[in-house]
PDB file of all heavy atoms in Angstrom:
ATOM      1  N   VAL A   1     -21.850  85.916  55.486  1.00  0.00           N
ATOM      2  CA  VAL A   1     -23.157  85.416  55.090  1.00  0.00           C
ATOM      3  C   VAL A   1     -23.010  84.545  53.833  1.00  0.00           C
ATOM      4  O   VAL A   1     -23.516  83.448  53.731  1.00  0.00           O
ATOM      5  CB  VAL A   1     -24.130  86.544  54.832  1.00  0.00           C
ATOM      6  CG1 VAL A   1     -25.432  86.040  54.306  1.00  0.00           C
ATOM      7  CG2 VAL A   1     -24.350  87.370  56.094  1.00  0.00           C
ATOM      8  N   ALA A   2     -22.322  85.135  52.793  1.00  0.00           N
ATOM      9  CA  ALA A   2     -22.150  84.444  51.549  1.00  0.00           C
ATOM     10  C   ALA A   2     -20.992  85.094  50.786  1.00  0.00           C
ATOM     11  O   ALA A   2     -20.678  86.243  51.024  1.00  0.00           O
ATOM     12  CB  ALA A   2     -23.409  84.537  50.687  1.00  0.00           C
ATOM     13  N   ALA A   3     -20.384  84.231  49.955  1.00  0.00           N
ATOM     14  CA  ALA A   3     -19.260  84.750  49.145  1.00  0.00           C
ATOM     15  C   ALA A   3     -19.271  84.090  47.798  1.00  0.00           C
ATOM     16  O   ALA A   3     -19.827  82.942  47.652  1.00  0.00           O
ATOM     17  CB  ALA A   3     -17.956  84.458  49.859  1.00  0.00           C
ATOM     18  N   ILE A   4     -18.728  84.779  46.814  1.00  0.00           N
ATOM     19  CA  ILE A   4     -18.691  84.227  45.491  1.00  0.00           C
ATOM     20  C   ILE A   4     -17.311  84.574  44.884  1.00  0.00           C
ATOM     21  O   ILE A   4     -16.865  85.709  44.946  1.00  0.00           O
ATOM     22  CB  ILE A   4     -19.848  84.804  44.627  1.00  0.00           C
ATOM     23  CG1 ILE A   4     -19.857  84.117  43.223  1.00  0.00           C
ATOM     24  CG2 ILE A   4     -19.841  86.296  44.473  1.00  0.00           C
ATOM     25  CD1 ILE A   4     -21.178  84.319  42.483  1.00  0.00           C
ATOM     26  N   THR A   5     -16.675  83.541  44.324  1.00  0.00           N
ATOM     27  CA  THR A   5     -15.305  83.757  43.791  1.00  0.00           C
ATOM     28  C   THR A   5     -15.410  84.417  42.421  1.00  0.00           C
ATOM     29  O   THR A   5     -16.529  84.588  41.807  1.00  0.00           O
ATOM     30  CB  THR A   5     -14.597  82.421  43.665  1.00  0.00           C
ATOM     31  OG1 THR A   5     -15.224  81.634  42.655  1.00  0.00           O
ATOM     32  CG2 THR A   5     -14.595  81.684  44.974  1.00  0.00           C
ATOM     33  N   SER A   6     -14.238  84.761  41.875  1.00  0.00           N
ATOM     34  CA  SER A   6     -14.180  85.331  40.525  1.00  0.00           C
ATOM     35  C   SER A   6     -14.683  84.347  39.489  1.00  0.00           C
ATOM     36  O   SER A   6     -15.159  84.753  38.418  1.00  0.00           O
ATOM     37  CB  SER A   6     -12.756  85.795  40.216  1.00  0.00           C
ATOM     38  OG  SER A   6     -11.851  84.698  40.335  1.00  0.00           O
ATOM     39  N   ALA A   7     -14.579  83.047  39.819  1.00  0.00           N
ATOM     40  CA  ALA A   7     -15.043  82.031  38.858  1.00  0.00           C
ATOM     41  C   ALA A   7     -16.539  81.736  39.037  1.00  0.00           C
ATOM     42  O   ALA A   7     -17.104  80.953  38.288  1.00  0.00           O
ATOM     43  CB  ALA A   7     -14.283  80.743  39.058  1.00  0.00           C
ATOM     44  N   GLY A   8     -17.142  82.369  40.034  1.00  0.00           N
ATOM     45  CA  GLY A   8     -18.569  82.184  40.217  1.00  0.00           C
ATOM     46  C   GLY A   8     -18.987  81.099  41.186  1.00  0.00           C
ATOM     47  O   GLY A   8     -20.169  80.767  41.338  1.00  0.00           O
ATOM     48  N   SER A   9     -18.020  80.562  41.930  1.00  0.00           N
ATOM     49  CA  SER A   9     -18.340  79.567  42.929  1.00  0.00           C
ATOM     50  C   SER A   9     -18.827  80.265  44.218  1.00  0.00           C
ATOM     51  O   SER A   9     -18.159  81.153  44.721  1.00  0.00           O
ATOM     52  CB  SER A   9     -17.081  78.741  43.239  1.00  0.00           C
ATOM     53  OG  SER A   9     -17.336  77.779  44.251  1.00  0.00           O
ATOM     54  N   ALA A  10     -19.955  79.791  44.743  1.00  0.00           N
ATOM     55  CA  ALA A  10     -20.574  80.430  45.866  1.00  0.00           C
ATOM     56  C   ALA A  10     -20.568  79.565  47.110  1.00  0.00           C
ATOM     57  O   ALA A  10     -20.593  78.322  47.023  1.00  0.00           O
ATOM     58  CB  ALA A  10     -21.999  80.804  45.538  1.00  0.00           C
ATOM     59  N   ASP A  11     -20.533  80.240  48.262  1.00  0.00           N
ATOM     60  CA  ASP A  11     -20.553  79.532  49.517  1.00  0.00           C
ATOM     61  C   ASP A  11     -21.443  80.347  50.483  1.00  0.00           C
ATOM     62  O   ASP A  11     -21.509  81.594  50.374  1.00  0.00           O
ATOM     63  CB  ASP A  11     -19.181  79.380  50.119  1.00  0.00           C
ATOM     64  CG  ASP A  11     -19.131  78.389  51.241  1.00  0.00           C
ATOM     65  OD1 ASP A  11     -20.058  77.546  51.379  1.00  0.00           O
ATOM     66  OD2 ASP A  11     -18.171  78.420  52.034  1.00  0.00           O
ATOM     67  N   TYR A  12     -22.142  79.642  51.393  1.00  0.00           N
ATOM     68  CA  TYR A  12     -23.073  80.270  52.239  1.00  0.00           C
ATOM     69  C   TYR A  12     -22.939  79.844  53.707  1.00  0.00           C
ATOM     70  O   TYR A  12     -22.543  78.675  53.969  1.00  0.00           O
ATOM     71  CB  TYR A  12     -24.515  79.922  51.831  1.00  0.00           C
ATOM     72  CG  TYR A  12     -24.864  80.365  50.457  1.00  0.00           C
ATOM     73  CD1 TYR A  12     -24.654  79.555  49.345  1.00  0.00           C
ATOM     74  CD2 TYR A  12     -25.385  81.620  50.211  1.00  0.00           C
ATOM     75  CE1 TYR A  12     -24.961  79.945  48.078  1.00  0.00           C
ATOM     76  CE2 TYR A  12     -25.732  82.035  48.929  1.00  0.00           C
ATOM     77  CZ  TYR A  12     -25.506  81.207  47.855  1.00  0.00           C
ATOM     78  OH  TYR A  12     -25.821  81.626  46.593  1.00  0.00           O
ATOM     79  N   GLN A  13     -23.298  80.719  54.614  1.00  0.00           N
ATOM     80  CA  GLN A  13     -23.414  80.355  56.014  1.00  0.00           C
ATOM     81  C   GLN A  13     -24.613  79.419  56.108  1.00  0.00           C
ATOM     82  O   GLN A  13     -25.596  79.590  55.380  1.00  0.00           O
ATOM     83  CB  GLN A  13     -23.692  81.610  56.826  1.00  0.00           C
ATOM     84  CG  GLN A  13     -23.874  81.412  58.304  1.00  0.00           C
ATOM     85  CD  GLN A  13     -24.421  82.618  58.964  1.00  0.00           C
ATOM     86  OE1 GLN A  13     -25.572  82.634  59.381  1.00  0.00           O
ATOM     87  NE2 GLN A  13     -23.618  83.649  59.159  1.00  0.00           N
ATOM     88  N   ASP A  14     -24.529  78.427  57.034  1.00  0.00           N
ATOM     89  CA  ASP A  14     -25.590  77.419  57.095  1.00  0.00           C
ATOM     90  C   ASP A  14     -26.944  78.018  57.341  1.00  0.00           C
ATOM     91  O   ASP A  14     -27.954  77.494  56.782  1.00  0.00           O
ATOM     92  CB  ASP A  14     -25.253  76.403  58.231  1.00  0.00           C
ATOM     93  CG  ASP A  14     -24.119  75.434  57.811  1.00  0.00           C
ATOM     94  OD1 ASP A  14     -23.824  75.375  56.647  1.00  0.00           O
ATOM     95  OD2 ASP A  14     -23.585  74.780  58.760  1.00  0.00           O
ATOM     96  N   SER A  15     -27.037  79.042  58.108  1.00  0.00           N
ATOM     97  CA  SER A  15     -28.346  79.609  58.489  1.00  0.00           C
ATOM     98  C   SER A  15     -29.072  80.271  57.314  1.00  0.00           C
ATOM     99  O   SER A  15     -30.280  80.513  57.425  1.00  0.00           O
ATOM    100  CB  SER A  15     -28.223  80.615  59.643  1.00  0.00           C
ATOM    101  OG  SER A  15     -27.521  81.805  59.181  1.00  0.00           O
ATOM    102  N   VAL A  16     -28.385  80.527  56.209  1.00  0.00           N
ATOM    103  CA  VAL A  16     -29.017  81.193  55.072  1.00  0.00           C
ATOM    104  C   VAL A  16     -29.150  80.335  53.872  1.00  0.00           C
ATOM    105  O   VAL A  16     -29.715  80.743  52.856  1.00  0.00           O
ATOM    106  CB  VAL A  16     -28.306  82.543  54.753  1.00  0.00           C
ATOM    107  CG1 VAL A  16     -28.137  83.420  55.955  1.00  0.00           C
ATOM    108  CG2 VAL A  16     -26.949  82.243  54.068  1.00  0.00           C
ATOM    109  N   LYS A  17     -28.585  79.103  53.951  1.00  0.00           N
ATOM    110  CA  LYS A  17     -28.652  78.212  52.819  1.00  0.00           C
ATOM    111  C   LYS A  17     -30.114  77.921  52.402  1.00  0.00           C
ATOM    112  O   LYS A  17     -30.934  77.656  53.319  1.00  0.00           O
ATOM    113  CB  LYS A  17     -27.927  76.929  53.104  1.00  0.00           C
ATOM    114  CG  LYS A  17     -26.371  77.042  53.093  1.00  0.00           C
ATOM    115  CD  LYS A  17     -25.712  75.730  53.381  1.00  0.00           C
ATOM    116  CE  LYS A  17     -24.205  75.866  53.345  1.00  0.00           C
ATOM    117  NZ  LYS A  17     -23.487  74.604  53.662  1.00  0.00           N
ATOM    118  N   GLY A  18     -30.417  77.999  51.178  1.00  0.00           N
ATOM    119  CA  GLY A  18     -31.749  77.754  50.709  1.00  0.00           C
ATOM    120  C   GLY A  18     -32.652  79.006  50.729  1.00  0.00           C
ATOM    121  O   GLY A  18     -33.704  78.957  50.192  1.00  0.00           O
ATOM    122  N   ARG A  19     -32.188  80.036  51.398  1.00  0.00           N
ATOM    123  CA  ARG A  19     -32.943  81.300  51.459  1.00  0.00           C
ATOM    124  C   ARG A  19     -32.262  82.452  50.756  1.00  0.00           C
ATOM    125  O   ARG A  19     -32.961  83.313  50.159  1.00  0.00           O
ATOM    126  CB  ARG A  19     -33.180  81.704  52.956  1.00  0.00           C
ATOM    127  CG  ARG A  19     -33.895  80.659  53.753  1.00  0.00           C
ATOM    128  CD  ARG A  19     -34.274  81.203  55.135  1.00  0.00           C
ATOM    129  NE  ARG A  19     -33.104  81.582  55.957  1.00  0.00           N
ATOM    130  CZ  ARG A  19     -32.936  82.816  56.440  1.00  0.00           C
ATOM    131  NH1 ARG A  19     -33.783  83.776  56.243  1.00  0.00           N
ATOM    132  NH2 ARG A  19     -31.835  83.029  57.203  1.00  0.00           N
ATOM    133  N   PHE A  20     -30.976  82.511  50.814  1.00  0.00           N
ATOM    134  CA  PHE A  20     -30.207  83.603  50.203  1.00  0.00           C
ATOM    135  C   PHE A  20     -29.479  83.090  48.970  1.00  0.00           C
ATOM    136  O   PHE A  20     -29.026  81.940  48.938  1.00  0.00           O
ATOM    137  CB  PHE A  20     -29.173  84.170  51.181  1.00  0.00           C
ATOM    138  CG  PHE A  20     -29.752  84.894  52.391  1.00  0.00           C
ATOM    139  CD1 PHE A  20     -31.096  84.922  52.669  1.00  0.00           C
ATOM    140  CD2 PHE A  20     -28.885  85.631  53.180  1.00  0.00           C
ATOM    141  CE1 PHE A  20     -31.587  85.571  53.737  1.00  0.00           C
ATOM    142  CE2 PHE A  20     -29.364  86.343  54.258  1.00  0.00           C
ATOM    143  CZ  PHE A  20     -30.739  86.299  54.561  1.00  0.00           C
ATOM    144  N   THR A  21     -29.327  83.957  48.023  1.00  0.00           N
ATOM    145  CA  THR A  21     -28.559  83.626  46.831  1.00  0.00           C
ATOM    146  C   THR A  21     -27.604  84.801  46.489  1.00  0.00           C
ATOM    147  O   THR A  21     -28.095  85.973  46.330  1.00  0.00           O
ATOM    148  CB  THR A  21     -29.466  83.361  45.603  1.00  0.00           C
ATOM    149  OG1 THR A  21     -30.347  82.275  45.895  1.00  0.00           O
ATOM    150  CG2 THR A  21     -28.646  82.991  44.376  1.00  0.00           C
ATOM    151  N   ILE A  22     -26.349  84.513  46.359  1.00  0.00           N
ATOM    152  CA  ILE A  22     -25.369  85.522  45.959  1.00  0.00           C
ATOM    153  C   ILE A  22     -25.051  85.345  44.483  1.00  0.00           C
ATOM    154  O   ILE A  22     -24.951  84.194  44.001  1.00  0.00           O
ATOM    155  CB  ILE A  22     -24.049  85.400  46.810  1.00  0.00           C
ATOM    156  CG1 ILE A  22     -23.147  86.653  46.532  1.00  0.00           C
ATOM    157  CG2 ILE A  22     -23.342  84.101  46.574  1.00  0.00           C
ATOM    158  CD1 ILE A  22     -22.004  86.734  47.490  1.00  0.00           C
ATOM    159  N   SER A  23     -24.923  86.426  43.775  1.00  0.00           N
ATOM    160  CA  SER A  23     -24.631  86.387  42.351  1.00  0.00           C
ATOM    161  C   SER A  23     -23.779  87.623  42.015  1.00  0.00           C
ATOM    162  O   SER A  23     -23.684  88.547  42.763  1.00  0.00           O
ATOM    163  CB  SER A  23     -25.899  86.297  41.485  1.00  0.00           C
ATOM    164  OG  SER A  23     -26.703  87.464  41.712  1.00  0.00           O
ATOM    165  N   ARG A  24     -23.207  87.585  40.833  1.00  0.00           N
ATOM    166  CA  ARG A  24     -22.352  88.693  40.399  1.00  0.00           C
ATOM    167  C   ARG A  24     -22.573  88.923  38.884  1.00  0.00           C
ATOM    168  O   ARG A  24     -22.831  88.003  38.129  1.00  0.00           O
ATOM    169  CB  ARG A  24     -20.906  88.490  40.715  1.00  0.00           C
ATOM    170  CG  ARG A  24     -20.251  87.294  39.960  1.00  0.00           C
ATOM    171  CD  ARG A  24     -18.874  86.987  40.545  1.00  0.00           C
ATOM    172  NE  ARG A  24     -17.931  88.112  40.341  1.00  0.00           N
ATOM    173  CZ  ARG A  24     -16.841  88.341  41.088  1.00  0.00           C
ATOM    174  NH1 ARG A  24     -16.543  87.500  42.044  1.00  0.00           N
ATOM    175  NH2 ARG A  24     -16.060  89.381  40.823  1.00  0.00           N
ATOM    176  N   ASP A  25     -22.465  90.193  38.544  1.00  0.00           N
ATOM    177  CA  ASP A  25     -22.506  90.628  37.136  1.00  0.00           C
ATOM    178  C   ASP A  25     -21.238  91.387  36.863  1.00  0.00           C
ATOM    179  O   ASP A  25     -21.134  92.588  37.228  1.00  0.00           O
ATOM    180  CB  ASP A  25     -23.749  91.462  36.868  1.00  0.00           C
ATOM    181  CG  ASP A  25     -23.933  91.799  35.390  1.00  0.00           C
ATOM    182  OD1 ASP A  25     -22.940  91.790  34.674  1.00  0.00           O
ATOM    183  OD2 ASP A  25     -25.032  92.153  35.074  1.00  0.00           O
ATOM    184  N   ASN A  26     -20.257  90.738  36.286  1.00  0.00           N
ATOM    185  CA  ASN A  26     -18.953  91.361  36.045  1.00  0.00           C
ATOM    186  C   ASN A  26     -19.083  92.558  35.106  1.00  0.00           C
ATOM    187  O   ASN A  26     -18.266  93.511  35.158  1.00  0.00           O
ATOM    188  CB  ASN A  26     -17.956  90.354  35.551  1.00  0.00           C
ATOM    189  CG  ASN A  26     -17.538  89.376  36.595  1.00  0.00           C
ATOM    190  OD1 ASN A  26     -17.739  89.600  37.809  1.00  0.00           O
ATOM    191  ND2 ASN A  26     -17.026  88.210  36.179  1.00  0.00           N
ATOM    192  N   ALA A  27     -20.031  92.527  34.183  1.00  0.00           N
ATOM    193  CA  ALA A  27     -20.188  93.616  33.267  1.00  0.00           C
ATOM    194  C   ALA A  27     -20.635  94.915  33.957  1.00  0.00           C
ATOM    195  O   ALA A  27     -20.395  96.011  33.502  1.00  0.00           O
ATOM    196  CB  ALA A  27     -21.176  93.242  32.159  1.00  0.00           C
ATOM    197  N   LYS A  28     -21.310  94.695  35.097  1.00  0.00           N
ATOM    198  CA  LYS A  28     -21.830  95.844  35.869  1.00  0.00           C
ATOM    199  C   LYS A  28     -21.028  96.114  37.116  1.00  0.00           C
ATOM    200  O   LYS A  28     -21.387  96.937  37.922  1.00  0.00           O
ATOM    201  CB  LYS A  28     -23.308  95.630  36.237  1.00  0.00           C
ATOM    202  CG  LYS A  28     -24.225  95.566  35.027  1.00  0.00           C
ATOM    203  CD  LYS A  28     -25.674  95.405  35.458  1.00  0.00           C
ATOM    204  CE  LYS A  28     -26.603  95.394  34.224  1.00  0.00           C
ATOM    205  NZ  LYS A  28     -28.022  95.250  34.643  1.00  0.00           N
ATOM    206  N   ASN A  29     -19.949  95.325  37.333  1.00  0.00           N
ATOM    207  CA  ASN A  29     -19.123  95.503  38.535  1.00  0.00           C
ATOM    208  C   ASN A  29     -19.933  95.356  39.818  1.00  0.00           C
ATOM    209  O   ASN A  29     -19.649  96.054  40.772  1.00  0.00           O
ATOM    210  CB  ASN A  29     -18.355  96.827  38.516  1.00  0.00           C
ATOM    211  CG  ASN A  29     -17.321  96.857  37.471  1.00  0.00           C
ATOM    212  OD1 ASN A  29     -17.049  95.914  36.780  1.00  0.00           O
ATOM    213  ND2 ASN A  29     -16.682  98.033  37.324  1.00  0.00           N
ATOM    214  N   THR A  30     -20.931  94.480  39.797  1.00  0.00           N
ATOM    215  CA  THR A  30     -21.901  94.462  40.898  1.00  0.00           C
ATOM    216  C   THR A  30     -22.087  93.030  41.379  1.00  0.00           C
ATOM    217  O   THR A  30     -22.105  92.067  40.580  1.00  0.00           O
ATOM    218  CB  THR A  30     -23.215  95.067  40.416  1.00  0.00           C
ATOM    219  OG1 THR A  30     -23.037  96.426  40.033  1.00  0.00           O
ATOM    220  CG2 THR A  30     -24.253  95.004  41.557  1.00  0.00           C
ATOM    221  N   VAL A  31     -22.200  92.921  42.702  1.00  0.00           N
ATOM    222  CA  VAL A  31     -22.581  91.654  43.350  1.00  0.00           C
ATOM    223  C   VAL A  31     -23.934  91.869  44.031  1.00  0.00           C
ATOM    224  O   VAL A  31     -24.209  92.981  44.520  1.00  0.00           O
ATOM    225  CB  VAL A  31     -21.518  91.208  44.336  1.00  0.00           C
ATOM    226  CG1 VAL A  31     -21.338  92.248  45.494  1.00  0.00           C
ATOM    227  CG2 VAL A  31     -21.806  89.814  44.917  1.00  0.00           C
ATOM    228  N   TYR A  32     -24.751  90.817  44.007  1.00  0.00           N
ATOM    229  CA  TYR A  32     -26.058  90.887  44.570  1.00  0.00           C
ATOM    230  C   TYR A  32     -26.255  89.837  45.681  1.00  0.00           C
ATOM    231  O   TYR A  32     -25.591  88.820  45.679  1.00  0.00           O
ATOM    232  CB  TYR A  32     -27.129  90.636  43.506  1.00  0.00           C
ATOM    233  CG  TYR A  32     -27.028  91.515  42.282  1.00  0.00           C
ATOM    234  CD1 TYR A  32     -26.349  91.123  41.160  1.00  0.00           C
ATOM    235  CD2 TYR A  32     -27.596  92.778  42.340  1.00  0.00           C
ATOM    236  CE1 TYR A  32     -26.246  91.935  40.041  1.00  0.00           C
ATOM    237  CE2 TYR A  32     -27.522  93.602  41.187  1.00  0.00           C
ATOM    238  CZ  TYR A  32     -26.858  93.182  40.071  1.00  0.00           C
ATOM    239  OH  TYR A  32     -26.757  94.005  38.971  1.00  0.00           O
ATOM    240  N   LEU A  33     -27.165  90.136  46.577  1.00  0.00           N
ATOM    241  CA  LEU A  33     -27.562  89.145  47.587  1.00  0.00           C
ATOM    242  C   LEU A  33     -29.113  89.159  47.613  1.00  0.00           C
ATOM    243  O   LEU A  33     -29.712  90.115  48.048  1.00  0.00           O
ATOM    244  CB  LEU A  33     -27.018  89.468  48.952  1.00  0.00           C
ATOM    245  CG  LEU A  33     -27.326  88.408  49.988  1.00  0.00           C
ATOM    246  CD1 LEU A  33     -26.532  87.103  49.702  1.00  0.00           C
ATOM    247  CD2 LEU A  33     -26.939  88.889  51.424  1.00  0.00           C
ATOM    248  N   GLN A  34     -29.678  88.139  47.040  1.00  0.00           N
ATOM    249  CA  GLN A  34     -31.096  87.990  47.048  1.00  0.00           C
ATOM    250  C   GLN A  34     -31.470  87.228  48.357  1.00  0.00           C
ATOM    251  O   GLN A  34     -30.988  86.149  48.587  1.00  0.00           O
ATOM    252  CB  GLN A  34     -31.615  87.172  45.866  1.00  0.00           C
ATOM    253  CG  GLN A  34     -33.111  86.922  45.839  1.00  0.00           C
ATOM    254  CD  GLN A  34     -33.902  88.179  45.717  1.00  0.00           C
ATOM    255  OE1 GLN A  34     -33.582  89.001  44.893  1.00  0.00           O
ATOM    256  NE2 GLN A  34     -34.980  88.293  46.486  1.00  0.00           N
ATOM    257  N   MET A  35     -32.308  87.863  49.196  1.00  0.00           N
ATOM    258  CA  MET A  35     -32.647  87.318  50.507  1.00  0.00           C
ATOM    259  C   MET A  35     -34.154  87.040  50.541  1.00  0.00           C
ATOM    260  O   MET A  35     -34.955  87.980  50.379  1.00  0.00           O
ATOM    261  CB  MET A  35     -32.266  88.312  51.602  1.00  0.00           C
ATOM    262  CG  MET A  35     -30.808  88.694  51.572  1.00  0.00           C
ATOM    263  SD  MET A  35     -30.301  89.728  52.933  1.00  0.00           S
ATOM    264  CE  MET A  35     -31.272  91.234  52.631  1.00  0.00           C
ATOM    265  N   ASN A  36     -34.479  85.811  50.661  1.00  0.00           N
ATOM    266  CA  ASN A  36     -35.897  85.388  50.763  1.00  0.00           C
ATOM    267  C   ASN A  36     -36.213  84.806  52.154  1.00  0.00           C
ATOM    268  O   ASN A  36     -35.301  84.418  52.887  1.00  0.00           O
ATOM    269  CB  ASN A  36     -36.214  84.392  49.695  1.00  0.00           C
ATOM    270  CG  ASN A  36     -36.007  84.894  48.280  1.00  0.00           C
ATOM    271  OD1 ASN A  36     -36.185  86.111  48.014  1.00  0.00           O
ATOM    272  ND2 ASN A  36     -35.581  84.013  47.370  1.00  0.00           N
ATOM    273  N   SER A  37     -37.459  84.675  52.443  1.00  0.00           N
ATOM    274  CA  SER A  37     -37.916  84.079  53.729  1.00  0.00           C
ATOM    275  C   SER A  37     -37.138  84.707  54.902  1.00  0.00           C
ATOM    276  O   SER A  37     -36.690  84.004  55.790  1.00  0.00           O
ATOM    277  CB  SER A  37     -37.684  82.583  53.711  1.00  0.00           C
ATOM    278  OG  SER A  37     -38.391  81.991  52.629  1.00  0.00           O
ATOM    279  N   LEU A  38     -37.132  86.023  54.944  1.00  0.00           N
ATOM    280  CA  LEU A  38     -36.363  86.704  55.966  1.00  0.00           C
ATOM    281  C   LEU A  38     -37.066  86.529  57.326  1.00  0.00           C
ATOM    282  O   LEU A  38     -38.316  86.474  57.409  1.00  0.00           O
ATOM    283  CB  LEU A  38     -36.246  88.161  55.618  1.00  0.00           C
ATOM    284  CG  LEU A  38     -35.236  88.483  54.549  1.00  0.00           C
ATOM    285  CD1 LEU A  38     -35.472  89.837  53.896  1.00  0.00           C
ATOM    286  CD2 LEU A  38     -33.815  88.411  55.070  1.00  0.00           C
ATOM    287  N   ASN A  39     -36.225  86.461  58.377  1.00  0.00           N
ATOM    288  CA  ASN A  39     -36.768  86.395  59.742  1.00  0.00           C
ATOM    289  C   ASN A  39     -36.023  87.384  60.594  1.00  0.00           C
ATOM    290  O   ASN A  39     -35.011  87.993  60.156  1.00  0.00           O
ATOM    291  CB  ASN A  39     -36.693  84.983  60.247  1.00  0.00           C
ATOM    292  CG  ASN A  39     -35.277  84.410  60.230  1.00  0.00           C
ATOM    293  OD1 ASN A  39     -34.362  84.977  60.873  1.00  0.00           O
ATOM    294  ND2 ASN A  39     -35.074  83.321  59.509  1.00  0.00           N
ATOM    295  N   ALA A  40     -36.457  87.540  61.808  1.00  0.00           N
ATOM    296  CA  ALA A  40     -35.912  88.563  62.722  1.00  0.00           C
ATOM    297  C   ALA A  40     -34.394  88.301  62.952  1.00  0.00           C
ATOM    298  O   ALA A  40     -33.693  89.306  63.175  1.00  0.00           O
ATOM    299  CB  ALA A  40     -36.670  88.490  64.046  1.00  0.00           C
ATOM    300  N   GLU A  41     -33.976  87.112  62.953  1.00  0.00           N
ATOM    301  CA  GLU A  41     -32.494  86.817  63.126  1.00  0.00           C
ATOM    302  C   GLU A  41     -31.637  87.340  61.981  1.00  0.00           C
ATOM    303  O   GLU A  41     -30.416  87.369  62.121  1.00  0.00           O
ATOM    304  CB  GLU A  41     -32.279  85.331  63.309  1.00  0.00           C
ATOM    305  CG  GLU A  41     -32.814  84.741  64.653  1.00  0.00           C
ATOM    306  CD  GLU A  41     -34.319  84.727  64.767  1.00  0.00           C
ATOM    307  OE1 GLU A  41     -34.981  84.470  63.714  1.00  0.00           O
ATOM    308  OE2 GLU A  41     -34.844  85.084  65.843  1.00  0.00           O
ATOM    309  N   ASP A  42     -32.258  87.712  60.923  1.00  0.00           N
ATOM    310  CA  ASP A  42     -31.500  88.247  59.764  1.00  0.00           C
ATOM    311  C   ASP A  42     -31.310  89.785  59.940  1.00  0.00           C
ATOM    312  O   ASP A  42     -30.575  90.381  59.094  1.00  0.00           O
ATOM    313  CB  ASP A  42     -32.227  87.990  58.451  1.00  0.00           C
ATOM    314  CG  ASP A  42     -32.316  86.526  58.122  1.00  0.00           C
ATOM    315  OD1 ASP A  42     -31.338  85.810  58.318  1.00  0.00           O
ATOM    316  OD2 ASP A  42     -33.425  86.096  57.720  1.00  0.00           O
TER     317      ASP A  42
END
């Protein structure tokens, strides 16, 4: 669906571009996926 490198570079599957956002917080050892405008195909 989405990936983010250690340097913070992100890439997305075409079907989620503009709707999903991947991010990371290295201080919290956590990666997030914000998903908006969800539809049944998700």
Side-chain angles (χ1 to χ4, degrees):
V1 176
I4 186 166
T5 68
S6 58
S9 178
D11 194 19
Y12 299 91
Q13 180 192 108
D14 285 347
S15 69
V16 307
K17 285 181 179 178
R19 300 189 298 123
F20 290 12
T21 302
I22 189 170
S23 61
R24 64 190 296 158
D25 185 338
N26 289 342
K28 296 183 178 180
N29 291 356
T30 300
V31 62
Y32 305 96
L33 185 68
Q34 178 66 44
M35 305 186 293
N36 300 328
S37 302
L38 286 161
N39 58 60
E41 288 69 40
D42 297 316

